[in-house]
C-alpha cells in the first residue's frame, strides 16, 4: 500500500457500476483515499466545480457527455490535476485527441483484472510517490 499523509480524493467516472466497484476497491486497497463516483461527464464536471479531487479517472465511452467531451471542460477547472483516461478504445485518433485535450495517462479497461490492478497501482506510484508503509522512524543523516 502507498502511504499518503492525507487521503487522496479520487473522482471515478464510469457509466458501468461493476467497473466503478472494482476500480474503487483496487484504489482503496492500494492507497489511502476516498473515492467519489460519477456516471457520466456531466456529473464529473459538476463534481469538479464543487469539490477538489486530487485524481480523476475518466472513462471515454459514456452516455450524455462522454470522456472526450468532458475532458477539456474538466481540464479548464482542474488545470494541474492528473486526469487518467479509462478506455477500451484503441483508435489512435481518439488517444491523440485526448492527449491534445489534456489527458495525463491512459489505462486500458479491456484487460484481465490482474493486469488492470497492476496498471492502476503503477499509475498511483507515478502520480503520487510516497514512502512504503513502515514502522521505522526516519533516521537523521550521519556525518
Amino acid at each position: 500500500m502507498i502511504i499518503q499523509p492525507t487521503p487522496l480524493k479520487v473522482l471515478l467516472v464510469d457509466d458501468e457500476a461493476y467497473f466503478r466497484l472494482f476500480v474503487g476497491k483496487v484504489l482503496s486497497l492500494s492507497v489511502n483515499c476516498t473515492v467519489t463516483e460519477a456516471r457520466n461527464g456531466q456529473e464529473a464536471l459538476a463534481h469538479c466545480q464543487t469539490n477538489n479531487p486530487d485524481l480523476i479517472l475518466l472513462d471515454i465511452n459514456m452516455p450524455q457527455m462522454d470522456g472526450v467531451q468532458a475532458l477539456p471542460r474538466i481540464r479548464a477547472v482542474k488545470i494541474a490535476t492528473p486526469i487518467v483516461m479509462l478506455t477500451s478504445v484503441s483508435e489512435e485518433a481518439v488517444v491523440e485527441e485526448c492527449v491534445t485535450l489534456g489527458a495525463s495517462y491512459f489505462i486500458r479497461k479491456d484487460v484481465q483484472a490482474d493486469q488492470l490492478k497492476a496498471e492502476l497501482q503503477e499509475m498511483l506510484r507515478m502520480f503520487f510517490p510516497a514512502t512504503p508503509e513502515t514502522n521505522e522512524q526516519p533516521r537523521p543523516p550521519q556525518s
Side-chain angles (χ1 to χ4, degrees), residues 18-30:
Y18 74 91
F19 191 76
R20 291 192 313 267
L21 180 66
F22 176 76
V23 172
K25 179 105 172 152
V26 169
L27 292 171
S28 66
L29 292 173
S30 301

Side-chain angles (χ1 to χ4, degrees), residues 20-49:
R20 291 192 313 267
L21 180 66
F22 176 76
V23 172
K25 179 105 172 152
V26 169
L27 292 171
S28 66
L29 292 173
S30 301
V31 68
N32 181 16
C33 68
T34 57
V35 178
T36 302
E37 298 179 0
R39 296 171 294 177
N40 58 56
Q42 289 175 331
E43 288 181 12
L45 185 56
H47 178 81
C48 287
Q49 291 171 333

Side-chain angles (χ1 to χ4, degrees), residues 5-23:
T6 59
L8 292 176
K9 293 182 281 183
V10 179
L11 174 59
L12 174 56
V13 187
D14 196 296
D15 59 319
E16 299 175 31
Y18 74 91
F19 191 76
R20 291 192 313 267
L21 180 66
F22 176 76
V23 172

Side-chain angles (χ1 to χ4, degrees), residues 1-5 130-139:
M1 176 180 241
I2 299 170
I3 302 301
Q4 293 290 331
T131 306
E133 188 172 4
T134 179
N135 291 329
E136 293 182 21
Q137 296 295 319
R139 296 180 188 181

